[in-house]
């Protein structure tokens, strides 16, 4: 396993993103909606650095099944969402790859009539996007490699790694 982004680099960048988010939202309460399961570490670290009032919700969508490393059918699972109507929603995901998942979720959340909607991703894979979604906050741009760790899995393993690594060396 090759380390692509160290735990220290992640923590520092998450702190920078949190500071920007706090500045951008001023004192407005934010509802952070994490996309399960990959965003869990990012969500947990980010919200602990936010000094603004925060609500947390979760939503499930997965385009990768089992050992597949190419996107498959997108599945939207049961939601664990607080009421988003009139709220300032920040949708949080681990990685922006083709953009299919987040574009779909953005449309879904928009129908719930939030006061505003922004998107934050920890990672963005370069040269892969097929939908025009621009994340409002992005931690790191990475090359087109399959990565694991810090929430990201391969066959449901490696999510607990504190760093982001490339599995195939
Ligand atoms: P998209 O819909 O943007 O193509 O895919 C987004 C989802 O695919 C992410 O939330 C993540 O679950 C998964 N994904 C995309 N690239 C990778 C990767 O390099 N590693 C892992 N573990 N998951 C990925
Ligand atoms: Mg995901």
């Amino acid at each position: 396993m090759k380390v692509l982004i160290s735990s220290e680099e992640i923590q520092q960048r998450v702190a920078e993103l949190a500071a920007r988010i706090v500045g951008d939202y001023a004192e407005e309460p934010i509802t952070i909606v994490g996309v399960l399961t990959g965003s869990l570490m990012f969500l947990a670290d980010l919200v602990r650095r936010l000094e603004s009032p925060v609500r947390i919700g979760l939503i499930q969508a997965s385009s990768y099944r089992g050992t597949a490393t190419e996107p498959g059918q997108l599945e939207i699972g049961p939601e664990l969402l607080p009421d988003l109507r009139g709220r300032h929603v920040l949708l949080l995901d681990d990685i922006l790859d083709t953009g299919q998942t987040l574009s779909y979720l953005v449309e879904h959340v928009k129908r719930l009539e939030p006061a505003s909607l922004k998107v934050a991703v920890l990672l963005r894979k370069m040269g892969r996007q097929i939908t025009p979604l621009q994340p409002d906050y992005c931690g790191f741009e990475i090359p087109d490699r399959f990565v694991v760790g810090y929430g990201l899995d391969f066959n449901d393993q490696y999510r607990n790694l504190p760093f982001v690594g490339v599995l195939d060396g």
Side-chain angles (χ1 to χ4, degrees):
M1 171 96 54
K2 185 169 159 280
V3 176
L4 189 66
I5 310 169
S6 71
S7 171
E8 293 74 21
E9 289 173 295
I10 294 172
Q11 292 306 322
Q12 198 200 320
R13 186 68 181 133
V14 170
E16 288 170 10
L17 291 179
R20 265 187 54 205
I21 290 168
V22 168
D24 290 352
Y25 285 87
E27 294 294 294
E28 294 279 10
I30 315 171
T31 301
I32 308 251
V33 175
V35 181
L36 288 170
T37 305
S39 75
L40 281 183
M41 311 299 159
F42 184 30
L43 175 77
D45 285 340
L46 184 76
V47 293
R48 281 179 290 178
R49 292 187 183 271
L50 294 179
E51 287 141 28
S52 339
V54 166
R55 286 186 181 79
I56 297 174
L58 297 165
I59 193 166
Q60 189 170 34
S62 49
S63 61
Y64 284 79
R65 304 262 41 107
T67 57
T69 56
E70 286 300 319
Q73 190 69 35
L74 190 70
E75 292 173 20
I76 301 293
E79 293 160 38
L80 302 152
L81 288 179
D83 190 6
L84 299 185
R85 187 185 302 264
R87 305 274 185 214
H88 294 287
V89 174
L90 180 60
L91 194 56
L92 206 76
D93 205 358
D94 49 3
I95 185 166
L96 180 65
D97 184 20
T98 66
Q100 266 182 292
T101 311
L102 273 171
S103 305
Y104 190 94
L105 291 176
V106 161
E107 291 314 310
H108 181 80
V109 170
K110 273 185 187 163
R111 287 196 290 272
L112 304 176
E113 299 176 7
S116 70
L117 177 58
K118 288 189 182 185
V119 171
V121 292
L122 181 75
L123 308 173
R124 178 181 193 171
K125 236 187 243 185
M126 299 315 289
R128 290 274 301 165
Q129 275 194 260
I130 56 173
T131 64
L133 186 120
Q134 280 295 331
D136 300 279
Y137 306 97
C138 174
F140 302 90
E141 295 184 341
I142 63 165
D144 185 6
R145 306 290 298 277
F146 192 80
V147 292
V148 297
Y150 198 70
L152 292 137
D153 77 305
F154 175 67
N155 205 16
D156 280 322
Q157 275 192 81
Y158 308 109
R159 291 194 199 274
N160 59 316
L161 296 177
F163 56 85
V164 171
V166 178
L167 200 54
D168 56 4

